[in-house]
């Protein structure tokens, strides 16, 4: 009874990795995500033709099939598809990170308040949340984009505006059950402030679920962003975006198939990576989202 | 008896049942329905009852977790029934603390023992510096017989008994005079239960604590409580000194509970009241039977029981019972009406 088993950090890490890696898919997901992050971070040095990322024409090499030196072929104005896919990932990740950075704190805070303060705050916040959740996300994004200028900033704004309610609902559900836990009641009885109870006692116990959902949502946000670009409402040319590239290449199917197939596969890979990683985190944390 | 530390006067806590789109009130759960008792300093007041009898609701109302529907809670001359007014008086919240049943849920899994114990000290400004907090936490751990290294541990690394010791340390942090023990040992192994009880009794003696001890373990109650109240569907059925309650149970419900205690020896068996076969389940507090709420399960029920709710009465001023079998429990005017 005098020996307390304070597990050293390394031991903890080893166990976490064991739980995570028991599912082969999550390791693959982690690999994909790490590879894409590295690739986009060092894109100017890792791609063969960084200049092709923006406005550039080279009609001599236009519409070449995959081969050397254009691993994934070139588009109709001679730009290297591989280079543009890597730079396109930059916009995908940027969209995901910005949207989640805006949506998650908002949604989590509202969820904390709605779950903790019963009565009118709960009713107001949750009914507004329900209204947002009842609108199909792409339709809402399209409506916002129709009013605003189609560009990346507005795409981020539109997607953020419809993403926070999911976090409100997730955290609301968690708080509703956590608020009856003994440690929350003990903190209330001892007179701790609501800020302490919400941020120090309750929030840390919501974070595993929120983190898991964020990872899974990276995939969905990227998908939605690509859909908007595909419809011409997201990233505008000449900036490379996977959705835009698929749309451009569609006109030349099936003869110049590589122009849209490779960006399409690229979307598939990044979405798959984040989904698998999210599933792995869900197993490690043992949460439902 | 000296001046009571805590006096509960006709305390009522009802929960509305809401249903439908407009959340209209369609009924009421009578969790606590007119409870009165008082606690002397230094005593251990036992509260027994089945699940759903309202023990925990009563405790949470005393602790300020719920706003009382009606009635008064007097603590050393202050009415503390309004939780909002009470929160404005840290000196009061400091005096009344709690230890919960489930040690697994009573400690935050994401905070170390030190972080958990620091909260009451910081809230009530009992320490000002980091080092002072660490020293105070080490002292608290020593009080509950845990080594100081435990402050760096997360609850997951502790056993059930150790967690419960930390929970006791947290309750002691503000140096309270009154602690509600809500089934503090019922989630623990039998071998650990004894140690925790011994610790609690030792602390009571050393720190002059008053306990409200909630349990459904009657054998335990007999050993620790000075007085015992039996609760049934939000009301007290019987309240007496421990020896008197166990030696001479008056209420049929108390007899039913006592006869259900498992025993191992014949000597113990002889101590038990005549065998009363427990029958039926506790009705839902949302649908309390009319008259005496115990009458559908009572072996001694007679004509008046389903019609009239008895009142509490005592023959000797100490052993209080609320049952029509005893004089004074049937409201006088009703008794007259029944006779004519």
């Amino acid at each position: 009874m005098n020996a307390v088993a304070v597990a050293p950090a390394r031991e903890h890490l080893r166990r976490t990795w064991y739980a995570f890696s028991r599912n082969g898919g999550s390791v693959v997901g982690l690999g994909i995500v790490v590879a894409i992050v590295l690739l986009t971070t060092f894109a100017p040095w890792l791609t063969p033709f960084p200049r092709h990322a923006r406005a550039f024409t080279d009609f001599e090499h236009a519409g070449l099939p995959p081969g050397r030196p254009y691993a994934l072929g070139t588009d109709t104005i001679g730009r290297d598809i591989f280079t543009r896919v890597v730079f396109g990932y930059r916009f995908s990740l940027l969209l995901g990170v910005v949207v989640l950075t805006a949506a998650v704190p908002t949604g989590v805070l509202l969820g904390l308040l709605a779950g903790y303060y019963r009565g009118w705050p709960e009713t107001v916040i949750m009914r507004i949340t329900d209204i947002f959740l009842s609108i199909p996300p792409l339709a809402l994004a399209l409506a916002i984009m129709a009013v605003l200028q189609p560009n990346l900033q507005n795409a981020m704004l539109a997607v953020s505006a419809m993403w926070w309610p999911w976090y409100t609902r997730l955290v609301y559900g968690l708080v509703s059950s956590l608020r009856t836990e003994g440690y929350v009641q003990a903190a209330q009885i001892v007179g701790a402030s609501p800020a302490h109870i919400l941020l120090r006692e309750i929030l840390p116990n919501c974070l595993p679920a929120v983190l898991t959902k964020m990872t899974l949502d990276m995939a969905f946000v990227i998908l939605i962003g690509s859909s908007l670009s595909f419809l011409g409402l997201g990233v505008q040319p000449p900036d490379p975006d996977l959705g835009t590239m698929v749309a451009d290449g569609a006109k030349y199917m099936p003869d110049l198939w590589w122009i849209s197939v490779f960006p399409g596969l690229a979307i598939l890979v990044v979405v798959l990576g984040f989904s698998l990683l999210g599933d792995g985190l869900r197993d490690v944390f043992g949460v439902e989202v | 008896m000296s001046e009571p530390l805590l006096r509960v006067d006709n305390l009522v806590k009802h929960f509305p049942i809401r249903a439908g789109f407009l959340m209209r009130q369609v009924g009421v759960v009578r969790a606590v329905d007119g409870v009165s008792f008082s606690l002397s300093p230094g005593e251990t007041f036992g509260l027994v009852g089945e699940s759903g009898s309202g023990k925990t609701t009563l405790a949470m109302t005393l602790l300020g977790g719920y706003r009382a529907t009606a009635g008064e809670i007097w603590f050393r001359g202050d009415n503390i029934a309004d939780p909002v007014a009470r929160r404005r008086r840290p000196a009061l919240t400091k005096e009344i603390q709690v230890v919960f049943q489930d040690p697994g849920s009573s400690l935050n899994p994401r905070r170390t023992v030190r972080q958990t114990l620091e909260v009451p000290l910081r809230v009530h400004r009992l320490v000002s510096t980091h080092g002072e907090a660490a020293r105070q936490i080490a002292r608290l751990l020593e009080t509950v017989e845990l080594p100081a290294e435990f402050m760096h541990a997360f609850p997951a690394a502790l056993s059930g008994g150790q967690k419960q010791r930390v929970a006791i340390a947290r309750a002691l942090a503000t140096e309270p005079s009154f602690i509600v023990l809500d089934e503090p040992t019922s989630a623990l192994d039998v071998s650990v239960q004894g140690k925790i009880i011994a610790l609690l009794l030792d602390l009571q003696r050393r720190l002059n604590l008053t306990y409200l001890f909630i349990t459904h373990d009657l054998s335990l109650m007999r050993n620790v409580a000075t007085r015992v109240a039996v609760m049934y569907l939000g009301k007290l059925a019987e309240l007496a000194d421990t020896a008197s309650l166990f030696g001479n149970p008056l209420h049929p419900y108390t007899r039913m509970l006592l006869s259900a205690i498992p025993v191992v020896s014949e000597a113990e068996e002889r101590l038990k009241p005549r065998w009363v076969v427990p029958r039926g389940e506790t009705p839902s507090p949302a649908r309390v039977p009319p008259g005496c709420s115990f009458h559908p399960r009572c072996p001694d029920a007679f004509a008046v029981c389903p019609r009239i709710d008895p009142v509490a009465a005592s023959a000797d001023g100490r052993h209080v019972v609320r049952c029509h079998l005893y004089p004074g429990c049937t409201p006088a005017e009703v008794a007259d009406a029944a006779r004519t």
Side-chain angles (χ1 to χ4, degrees):
Chain A
M1 131 134 196
N2 284 339
V4 59
V6 183
R10 248 182 61 203
E11 175 66 8
H12 180 73
L13 212 64
R14 202 185 62 78
R15 279 189 211 168
T16 309
W17 176 251
Y18 174 76
F20 180 80
S21 60
R22 267 167 35 127
N23 178 352
S26 40
V27 181
V28 173
L30 181 67
I32 292 174
V33 170
V34 168
I36 290 175
V37 168
L38 289 177
L39 210 55
T40 50
T41 310
F42 302 105
W45 299 279
L46 294 178
T47 52
F49 305 99
R51 282 176 57 214
H52 294 200
R54 291 188 55 83
F56 180 85
T57 47
D58 177 9
F59 291 110
E60 239 174 273
H61 298 101
L64 292 178
R68 278 171 167 277
Y70 306 104
L72 304 181
T74 60
D75 64 11
T76 52
I77 53 172
R79 295 180 296 193
D80 180 38
I81 300 277
F82 174 72
T83 303
R84 288 182 62 79
V85 163
V86 172
F87 278 90
Y89 269 148
R90 282 190 156 185
F91 287 100
S92 298
L93 293 187
L94 184 69
L95 177 78
V97 168
V98 170
V99 165
L100 292 180
T101 311
V104 173
T106 316
V108 167
L109 188 68
L110 288 171
L112 283 174
L113 295 174
Y116 190 69
Y117 292 104
R118 290 304 167 94
W120 69 263
E122 178 193 13
T123 312
V124 171
I125 293 172
M126 292 321 291
R127 290 304 82 79
I128 292 174
T129 304
D130 286 345
I131 292 169
F132 272 89
L133 288 176
S134 67
I135 304 169
L138 197 58
L140 180 64
L142 283 175
I144 296 176
M145 298 302 291
V147 177
L148 304 171
Q149 289 285 321
N151 59 39
L152 184 64
Q153 283 78 20
N154 287 338
M156 288 169 174
L157 194 76
V159 181
S160 307
M162 66 201 205
W163 222 269
W164 63 266
W166 295 101
Y167 288 87
T168 305
R169 199 157 77 168
L170 172 71
V171 172
Y172 169 76
L174 292 168
V175 176
S176 300
S177 68
L178 288 173
R179 66 203 293 276
T180 58
E181 290 280 315
Y183 54 83
V184 175
Q185 294 185 333
Q188 288 168 338
I189 286 162
V190 85
S193 65
H196 171 89
I197 292 170
L198 282 173
L199 300 180
R200 296 292 180 82
E201 305 282 351
I202 294 180
L203 181 61
N205 288 288
C206 298
L207 284 183
V210 170
L211 213 66
T212 305
K213 187 166 172 53
M214 281 173 73
T215 312
L216 292 168
D217 278 358
M218 271 299 278
F220 294 119
V221 171
I222 288 172
L223 209 52
I224 286 258
S226 301
S227 310
L228 287 174
S229 305
F230 180 82
L231 297 170
L233 299 172
V235 178
Q236 296 299 310
D239 284 332
D241 180 273
L242 302 174
T244 320
M245 291 163 77
V246 174
D248 288 348
K251 289 172 265 182
Y252 307 101
M253 286 289 269
D255 303 326
L256 306 181
W257 55 269
W258 54 88
I259 301 180
S260 36
V261 165
F262 288 118
L265 283 175
I267 297 174
L268 180 85
V269 167
V270 69
V271 169
L272 195 69
F274 278 106
S275 295
L276 289 173
L277 179 61
D279 280 343
L281 292 181
R282 179 155 57 187
D283 293 344
V284 171
F285 294 137
V287 291
E288 274 308 318
V289 295
Chain B
M1 242 202 286
S2 54
E3 178 75 1
L5 179 79
L6 181 88
R7 188 160 62 80
V8 176
D9 201 6
N10 205 16
L11 189 68
V12 178
K13 177 64 201 176
H14 289 175
F15 293 101
I17 307 170
R18 294 180 191 282
F21 177 68
L22 293 170
M23 294 316 252
R24 266 202 313 226
Q25 189 174 336
V26 294
V28 69
V29 175
R30 300 169 183 279
V32 177
D33 203 14
V35 168
S36 305
F37 61 86
S38 60
L39 267 69
S40 318
E43 84 167 320
T44 301
F45 186 86
L47 187 62
V48 290
E50 290 168 285
S51 310
S53 60
K55 312 177 293 245
T56 298
T57 306
L58 174 58
M60 284 308 288
T61 313
L62 294 182
L63 290 162
Y66 299 135
R67 179 192 300 274
T69 309
E72 288 167 355
I73 307 167
W74 292 89
F75 184 82
R76 285 194 184 140
D78 291 298
N79 188 350
I80 56 169
D82 180 7
V84 179
R86 174 176 177 159
R87 236 167 272 140
R88 278 190 229 112
R89 310 214 14 217
L92 273 175
T93 50
K94 200 170 162 252
E95 289 290 328
I96 305 174
Q97 283 305 316
V98 63
V99 176
F100 288 114
Q101 170 181 11
D102 181 7
S105 125
S106 75
L107 300 182
N108 193 333
R110 303 204 166 260
R111 291 170 71 76
T112 62
V113 168
R114 179 186 174 140
Q115 287 173 317
T116 292
L117 294 179
E118 220 167 345
V119 176
L121 299 175
R122 293 263 179 230
V123 168
H124 292 283
R125 298 202 172 79
L126 300 171
V127 294
S128 44
T129 65
H130 208 62
E132 208 182 322
R135 272 196 304 282
Q136 186 61 25
I137 288 164
R139 254 196 51 211
L140 282 169
L141 288 174
E142 193 192 330
T143 316
V144 295
E145 295 161 13
L146 289 177
E149 306 95 85
F150 272 55
M151 71 170 74
H152 306 298
F154 281 96
L158 306 181
S159 71
Q162 290 167 342
K163 283 183 205 166
Q164 204 60 317
R165 283 170 195 268
V166 174
I168 293 168
R170 174 176 58 193
L172 294 174
T174 58
E175 296 173 3
S177 51
F178 174 50
I179 300 183
V180 174
L181 305 168
D182 188 359
E183 309 200 29
T185 58
S186 52
L188 303 175
D189 285 347
V190 178
S191 58
V192 182
Q193 281 185 11
K195 289 182 193 159
I196 297 289
I197 293 294
L199 172 69
L200 286 170
L201 294 179
D202 180 49
L203 290 171
Q204 180 174 41
R205 208 169 26 76
R206 277 161 47 202
L207 306 171
N208 191 30
L209 300 169
T210 308
Y211 288 154
L212 175 68
F213 199 111
I214 299 174
T215 182
H216 49 239
D217 183 343
L218 287 159
S219 327
L220 175 64
M221 192 60 92
R222 175 184 248 160
N223 291 317
V224 300
T226 47
R227 284 192 303 149
V228 178
V230 179
M231 201 165 174
Y232 186 77
L233 282 177
K235 292 178 176 170
L236 295 187
E238 189 166 358
L239 192 168
D241 293 337
T242 307
S244 177
L245 187 107
F246 281 88
N248 180 29
L250 297 179
H251 199 286
Y253 178 60
T254 313
R255 289 193 201 135
M256 185 190 279
L257 287 180
L258 293 184
S259 69
I261 301 178
V263 293
V264 287
S265 73
E266 258 189 51
E268 285 178 64
E269 183 66 48
R270 275 197 297 278
L271 283 172
K272 296 210 314 194
R274 72 187 164 84
W275 177 245
V276 180
V277 183
R279 49 177 198 182
E281 296 280 323
T282 317
S284 156
R287 229 170 290 148
V288 176
C292 170
S293 54
F294 186 58
H295 83 262
R297 300 173 73 191
C298 182
D300 304 317
F302 57 105
V304 72
C305 301
R307 293 194 288 121
I308 296 149
D309 198 19
V311 295
S314 171
D316 59 358
R318 293 192 60 78
H319 197 138
V320 181
V321 66
R322 206 176 56 80
C323 172
H324 288 302
L325 292 173
Y326 301 95
C329 291
T330 312
E333 66 276 23
V334 181
D336 292 343
R339 212 172 293 129
T340 52

